[in-house]
Amino acid sequence: MSEEKSQQPQLAPTGTIDNQYLHASENWFEYPVRVQPHHTDYAGVVWHGAYIAWMEEARIECLRSIGIEYTDLVALGCELPVVEMSIRYHQVLQLGKAAVVKTRMEEVTGVRINWNYAIQSIDGQDLHVSAKVTLVAMDREKGKIMRQLPPRVKEVFARLSASKK
């Protein structure tokens, strides 16, 4: 029976993930947030879905920071729905606390766009959430995944990748 347990997939220890996100601060777009009452449960702790909303806001603001409005992507006929998400909750955030949502585009492979996130204390000492999100380019008119990114969209993501270097 102990052999069966050792063969099961294991998550990396939280400390390993903490170090990865707390010390990898280069090339992250930073989006500050403050916990408001509507973000919390009855105990004053941030509800898990609020973190996801903050990650979405940070991604949109990251694009805006390089001059790309999400509405422009939509006008080009391109939607970017989330198709995969992995999120790990490390430490709760409570009512009234401030934090920073860090995001960066990790890579574009075909029509898949991968983003990393870290939600940290303002001083960078505490990691609250780490996450990875995968988006795909979807043709709004046809409602189907595109075979390739439209040239203008590809250019946008190339510019974002270049800004990371």
Side-chain angles (χ1 to χ4, degrees):
M1 184 138 132
S2 62
E3 285 181 33
E4 287 179 27
K5 283 186 179 181
S6 65
Q7 292 177 354
Q8 292 178 345
Q10 299 291 315
L11 289 174
T14 302
T16 304
I17 295 170
D18 288 351
N19 290 337
Q20 172 188 352
Y21 286 94
L22 286 174
H23 301 297
S25 60
E26 286 187 41
N27 304 314
W28 291 83
F29 175 81
E30 297 185 2
Y31 179 72
V33 295
R34 180 168 302 279
V35 180
Q36 303 297 329
H38 65 278
H39 298 135
T40 65
D41 60 17
Y42 292 112
V45 172
V46 173
W47 172 68
H48 68 278
Y51 295 109
I52 296 168
W54 291 340
M55 292 180 340
E56 177 86 9
E57 291 168 17
R59 185 172 63 248
I60 299 304
E61 290 303 320
C62 179
L63 291 173
R64 182 175 284 132
S65 77
I66 61 164
I68 303 304
E69 295 290 332
Y70 194 84
T71 53
D72 293 341
L73 294 176
V74 172
L76 289 170
C78 182
E79 187 67 52
L80 299 173
V82 172
V83 294
E84 189 174 345
M85 178 182 294
S86 171
I87 189 165
R88 189 166 210 175
Y89 301 95
H90 300 273
Q91 188 175 31
V92 299
L93 250 172
Q94 296 190 324
L95 181 61
K97 297 290 182 182
V100 62
V101 181
K102 292 182 172 187
T103 187
R104 66 180 172 195
M105 188 183 70
E106 194 61 27
E107 67 178 337
V108 177
T109 54
V111 295
R112 297 174 69 86
I113 304 112
N114 298 304
W115 290 78
N116 286 337
Y117 297 87
I119 301 178
Q120 300 176 342
S121 58
I122 295 295
D123 64 8
Q125 297 301 305
D126 299 315
L127 179 62
H128 300 286
V129 170
S130 57
K132 294 180 182 283
V133 172
T134 301
L135 312 172
V136 294
M138 178 178 268
D139 184 311
R140 291 196 67 197
E141 233 176 74
K142 297 177 183 173
K144 294 184 177 181
I145 293 175
M146 297 176 165
R147 292 183 190 269
Q148 61 183 358
L149 290 173
R152 176 73 177 116
V153 175
K154 191 182 284 188
E155 175 188 317
V156 167
F157 291 126
R159 187 167 18 150
L160 187 56
S161 291
S163 72
K164 287 174 41 175
K165 295 177 182 171

